[in-house]
Structure formats: C-alpha cells, structure tokens
C-alpha cells in the first residue's frame, strides 16, 4: 500500500506530464470547437455538458501543472480561452457564438476547482513521509 501511495504521489508531482497533457487538451478542445465534425466524435448529447467537462479538465490539469498558482492567475486566462473559442465560432458558418457556452465554461472551471483542496493536502509532505532508517 505504501508503494502504491508513493507511486501516486510521484505521478502527482510529475509537472512536465501535466503541462504536456494541458497543451494537448487545449489543442484538442480548440480543434473540436472549430471543426465541422465530418466524422463521429464521442461527446455528450448536450453542448453545454461538453463545455463543462472540457473546462473542468483544463482547470484540473492547470492545477496539477502549476500547483503553487492561485486561481486568480489561471481562471481569467481559461475564461479568455473560452471567450476566444466563441469569437472564432462566430466567424464560422457552421458554428454560433453563445454566452450560454461561456457560462458553461465558467461552471466547468468552478467544478474543476472543487477537488483541489483535498488534493493539495494529499501532496503536502510531513514527517510520516520521511525515509525509513537503515
């Protein structure tokens, strides 16, 4: 059990992994938000649920990639990203600008912030995590 916990904590501390995952997610979300979908893409029946899930994921990945960052530093860029997607969609003939989508992005960000306090406590080192004596 201790080995599993150590492996899980090592994974949580692997910031390059989370930063790479964040970049891939941003690119994938940008692609999905601007494509005409000529092929089936797994998604929810509701566009708002898709927005909520996407921005919850972006928020969680951002928190894992930069755990020391305060929400005031990354929430506005995430909202700006959501707004930029809507602006781009407004110029596409097969997409529309929607403030409801932007609101769903904001709710997704709030959902992504919910699990963080418990995760932060799990990542703190204490004396119980010190190496065993020889």
């Amino acid at each position: 059990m201790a080995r599993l916990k150590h492996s899980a904590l090592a994974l949580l501390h692997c910031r390059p992994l989370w930063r790479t995952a964040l970049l891939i997610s941003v690119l994938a979300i940008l692609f999905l938000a601007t494509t005409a979908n000529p092929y089936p893409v797994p998604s929810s029946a509701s566009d708002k649920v898709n927005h909520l899930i996407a921005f919850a994921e972006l928020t969680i990945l951002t928190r894992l990639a930069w755990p020391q960052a305060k929400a005031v530093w990354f929430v506005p860029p995430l909202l700006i990203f959501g707004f930029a997607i809507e602006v781009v969609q407004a110029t596409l003939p097969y997409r529309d600008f929607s403030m409801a989508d932007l609101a769903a992005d904001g709710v997704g960000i709030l959902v992504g912030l919910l699990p963080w306090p418990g995760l932060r406590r799990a990542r703190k080192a204490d004396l119980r995590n010190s190496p065993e004596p020889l």
Side-chain angles (χ1 to χ4, degrees), residues 4 6 17 22 25 30 39 47 51 53 56-57 59-60 68 74 84 86-88 92 94 101 105 107 111 124 127:
L4 178 62
H6 176 71
L17 169 70
L22 179 62
S25 292
L30 189 58
Y39 52 88
D47 180 51
H51 281 263
I53 291 169
E57 177 207 9
T59 304
I60 291 168
Q68 70 282 2
F74 66 85
E86 294 304 318
V87 169
V88 169
L92 300 173
Y94 47 86
D101 287 349
D105 297 344
V107 172
V111 168
K124 285 186 180 177
L127 291 177

Side-chain angles (χ1 to χ4, degrees), residues 59 62-63 66-80 109 113 120:
T59 304
T62 300
R63 294 299 292 196
W66 289 278
Q68 70 282 2
K70 302 256 188 250
V72 71
W73 291 105
F74 66 85
V75 169
L78 288 174
L79 285 173
I80 290 168
I109 292 168
L113 289 173
R120 177 171 277 183

